[in-house]
Amino acid sequence: MAEELVKIEGSKGEIYSSLIPQIKALVGDEKDLVANQANIAAALKHAFGFLWVGFYNVREDMMILGPFQGPIACTRIRKGKGVCGTVWETKKHIVVDNVDEFPGHIACSTLSKSEIVIPLIQECQVIAVLDIDSDQLTAFDENDVLYLNEICEWFVTTL
Ligand code: SME
C-alpha cells in the first residue's frame, strides 16, 4: 500500500487518471467494506477538495451513513428520498447543479451547493451510493460521471 497519495495538478481528467490507479493500489487485497470506503472517500476528498465525500450503505429498507470525509451528515435515508434515495430507487447516477432546485433534496450542510451521487450496483441491486457535495454551484461534469462510475463499478468487483 502506498504511504501517501501523489496529488497532481491538472484537468479533472488528468487528476482522475492519476488517482484511480492509486485508489486501486490502496484497496489492494483488502476486503473490508468500511476500510475501503474510508480510504476511497479520503482519496477523493484529498485529490479534489470537495466539501463532502462519503458512502451510504443499503441496510434493509434504509440507507445508513457509512465512511465519509467532511461535515457531519444525516444518518438514515429512505428509498426515493433526497438525491441519494432517488439514485437508490432509479439505479442511475444523478448530477445536481444546484441543490436548491432538486425537489426533496436533503440538506446536511448549508454549504453544499451542488452534488453528484453514483450507485454501487451488485447483481442488479443498489448496495450503496457514493455521494459527493461541493460548496460551488455546477461543480460536477461529464468527467466526474465517467470516472466516479468507473471507480464504483470497479469497487463492486472487489467486494
Ligand atoms: N444531500 C443528500 C443527503 C446526504 S448529504 O448530502 C451528505 C440527499 O439529498 O440525498
Side-chain angles (χ1 to χ4, degrees):
M1 194 196 103
E3 293 285 310
E4 215 171 281
L5 290 176
V6 177
K7 188 175 174 181
I8 67 154
E9 303 295 326
S11 68
K12 263 191 179 173
E14 288 167 340
I15 297 174
Y16 277 115
S17 296
S18 160
L19 184 65
I20 288 175
Q22 297 189 71
I23 286 178
K24 290 181 176 175
L26 193 59
V27 169
D29 297 332
E30 180 57 60
K31 294 286 174 207
D32 188 84
L33 183 73
V34 170
N36 289 332
Q37 288 181 333
N39 264 338
I40 291 170
L44 287 166
K45 178 97 163 78
H46 176 74
F48 293 101
F50 295 128
L51 174 69
W52 196 93
V53 182
F55 292 88
Y56 282 89
N57 292 313
V58 173
R59 299 281 181 258
E60 299 174 3
D61 63 341
M62 289 278 182
M63 277 196 306
I64 303 185
L65 182 62
F68 71 95
Q69 296 262 321
I72 56 169
C74 56
T75 51
R76 287 170 186 255
I77 298 176
R78 286 189 183 280
K79 197 172 197 173
K81 299 294 179 192
V83 188
C84 294
T86 305
V87 167
W88 179 12
E89 192 167 60
T90 60
K91 302 183 179 176
K92 183 132 183 31
H93 68 260
I94 294 178
V95 175
V96 182
D97 288 338
N98 179 350
V99 296
D100 290 338
E101 292 174 0
F102 187 93
H105 170 259
I106 301 164
C108 293
S109 166
T110 53
L111 296 175
S112 176
K113 298 279 187 285
S114 61
E115 182 164 3
I116 185 169
V117 180
I118 309 280
L120 276 68
I121 299 176
Q122 190 176 51
E123 292 169 2
C124 300
Q125 299 299 319
V126 175
I127 57 164
V129 299
L130 169 63
D131 180 12
I132 304 183
D133 287 37
S134 171
D135 58 5
Q136 306 291 315
L137 289 167
T138 320
F140 303 102
D141 60 22
E142 67 279 2
N143 285 293
D144 302 288
V145 169
L146 179 73
Y147 291 109
L148 293 173
N149 270 302
E150 182 182 326
I151 291 169
C152 289
E153 283 169 19
W154 162 80
F155 183 42
V156 169
T157 69
T158 70
L159 299 176

